[in-house]
Amino acid sequence: MSQLRAVQAANTALNELGIDQSEPVDPFEAIEDAGLLLRFQPLKDLLGAVLPGAPGGVLINSARPASLQRYTAAHELGHWFMDQDVLSLDNDESVFGHHHGEARERDAQVFAAHFLMPLELLYPVARRYGIKRGQAVDPEQVYQAARDMHVSYEATVRQLMNTRLIAPSNGNQLLKTQPAAIKLRLTAGLKLPNARGDVWIVEHPEDHAEIEAFVGDAILLRLTEYPATGYRWYAEEAQPGATVHPFRPAPPPFSGGQAFADAIPPTGGGEVIPFPAMAAASDVVSLLQDRLVQQPYQAGATAVGGAVTRLVAYTADAPGDEAIQLNHVRSVRPDAPVSRIKVTTHVRGVPEVEFRRRLIAAFARDEAEGTEWDY
């Protein structure tokens, strides 16, 4: 009954605050909309706190990962909705521990899970990654679902178990996998500059992909190329000019002897035409790596002249919007791409930075309204 009360409280909060439950929930905006003061500060042992008063306030540890800050914020909001005007000091055990006797903390955990992952959001995201009731899922599926909902991997595993989308045995096995190992597999071993950042994978996009990332995240494009055809992926601003030709120069006149044998490289693999450089887009995103997963033209390999996968990774460096536009063209015909990709990336700042931006925007609105009224 206590947990049912917490679920009902989360639903009430979502409805009273007018939150769109089909999109990722921002608990920091929710705290402010609830009339509470929000502050960020590095804390030693605490993840967050609720400070009673008129108005009350919520304190968040800004030194922790952003996903943990969001979950902590929802946990504190749960305390406010269910235990108003009661001081709450929450550490790791309070937010993620097993509370068999302390109902307040257990209820706040249930509230946070259902507030950040309401069924209207959880079910579509689960379907997106093939998470179906009664079927075992792998860590990569759960990680990508957690990333899309802007919550932690552990919180998502527990909510999938709470809603019985996955069996407890599957969930307990998933909890043994660290997110860092999952990201390493998703990126084919790419070392990320920010170990806490998320990885966004764009595979086989038809024309347009849209991503909402955070500063420190990585955007990885998996692109298929057929080098033997001469078609390559270029960033639109780095496309070759029409005068660039990828062909090798004509050989010298035949003089007999071992000319043909001498012309064959020692590896027997033929000439490898280097990939074009993929330019960085802007200050918002920058190029991290551009490499092949499967090399073409290997001696004796069946992949000669076949498809290769090109991995192009960008990092989200600063808040803002940026479009990464790539064209699949031959260097002799840069004006005639056979396909295009546009990845629109909306990069958001860390919670504390976004909070300050909201304060500045609110101050600017108040100033504008005051100036207009005085005038």
Side-chain angles (χ1 to χ4, degrees):
M1 291 298 295
S2 176
Q3 294 188 37
L4 179 60
R5 169 177 168 265
V7 174
Q8 291 174 338
N11 290 332
T12 298
L14 289 165
N15 292 328
E16 286 185 358
L17 297 174
I19 294 174
D20 182 357
Q21 299 178 40
S22 65
E23 298 291 336
V25 177
D26 189 331
F28 306 111
E29 287 191 6
I31 288 173
E32 295 177 277
D33 290 343
L36 301 172
L37 296 177
L38 176 64
R39 294 293 182 268
F40 294 87
Q41 183 177 329
L43 304 172
K44 184 177 180 182
D45 298 321
L46 293 179
L47 292 183
V50 173
L51 307 176
V58 172
L59 182 63
I60 301 295
N61 187 342
S62 60
R64 295 302 187 95
S67 60
L68 183 53
Q69 290 184 48
R70 286 190 286 271
Y71 195 79
T72 302
H75 185 96
E76 307 307 341
L77 191 62
H79 279 311
W80 180 260
F81 267 84
M82 295 182 289
D83 314 305
Q84 281 191 347
D85 290 327
V86 175
L87 176 66
S88 297
L89 303 175
D90 294 316
N91 55 21
D92 289 82
E93 178 64 22
S94 304
V95 176
F96 284 110
H98 299 282
H99 303 284
H100 300 291
E102 193 173 358
R104 284 185 67 248
E105 296 303 339
R106 184 180 63 246
D107 291 349
Q109 288 179 349
V110 174
F111 178 99
H114 285 272
F115 185 81
L116 293 176
M117 294 171 279
L119 298 184
E120 190 176 341
L121 173 65
L122 180 66
Y123 285 168
V125 172
R127 285 195 300 270
R128 184 182 305 160
Y129 296 104
I131 300 173
K132 299 179 181 178
R133 194 183 304 275
Q135 296 183 7
V137 300
D138 59 45
E140 287 79 7
Q141 291 172 280
V142 177
Y143 168 77
Q144 293 181 88
R147 178 203 62 200
D148 285 13
M149 294 186 291
H150 300 170
V151 296
S152 70
Y153 173 78
E154 179 180 350
T156 303
V157 172
R158 297 192 183 282
Q159 183 67 343
L160 291 172
M161 287 193 288
N162 291 339
T163 55
R164 299 182 181 178
L165 278 174
I166 61 174
S169 58
N170 188 188
N172 292 330
Q173 191 65 34
L174 290 168
L175 290 173
K176 296 178 182 179
T177 304
Q178 295 298 317
I182 302 172
K183 289 184 278 190
L184 199 63
R185 290 198 293 268
L186 285 173
T187 60
L190 175 65
K191 185 177 181 180
L192 303 176
N194 179 14
R196 291 179 172 180
D198 278 320
V199 177
W200 301 84
I201 309 294
V202 180
E203 292 185 288
H204 311 297
E206 295 179 359
D207 292 304
H208 184 219
E210 194 163 348
I211 293 173
E212 184 180 66
F214 292 85
V215 170
D217 288 358
I219 301 101
L220 182 66
L221 281 65
R222 290 194 179 118
L223 307 173
T224 300
E225 288 187 344
Y226 293 86
T229 66
Y231 283 96
R232 307 291 170 85
W233 285 102
Y234 290 87
E236 191 167 83
E237 68 275 13
Q239 281 188 201
T243 59
V244 177
H245 297 277
F247 307 117
R248 71 185 73 188
F254 175 67
S255 58
Q258 299 295 318
F260 287 108
D262 293 341
I264 300 176
T267 60
E271 179 182 349
V272 178
I273 301 173
F275 274 4
M278 187 71 71
S282 71
D283 292 335
V284 176
V285 296
S286 61
L287 180 67
L288 175 62
Q289 191 175 92
D290 182 5
R291 66 186 175 93
L292 289 178
V293 173
Q294 178 187 357
Q295 292 284 355
Y297 308 114
Q298 295 176 353
T302 58
V304 172
V308 297
T309 300
R310 182 177 176 188
L311 296 182
V312 184
Y314 294 87
T315 57
D317 299 323
D321 296 338
E322 187 57 58
I324 302 170
Q325 301 187 62
L326 311 177
N327 293 335
H328 199 196
V329 300
R330 297 177 68 185
S331 58
V332 292
R333 289 294 308 277
D335 57 337
V338 292
S339 55
R340 302 174 185 267
I341 292 175
K342 181 179 180 180
V343 182
T344 300
T345 306
H346 308 283
V347 180
R348 296 174 55 179
V350 296
E352 185 176 8
V353 171
E354 289 204 327
F355 167 67
R356 290 174 180 171
R357 287 193 170 201
R358 286 198 297 271
L359 286 181
I360 293 172
F363 176 78
R365 285 195 302 270
D366 291 343
E367 285 291 298
E369 291 174 1
T371 301
E372 183 179 355
W373 183 81
D374 290 338
Y375 178 79

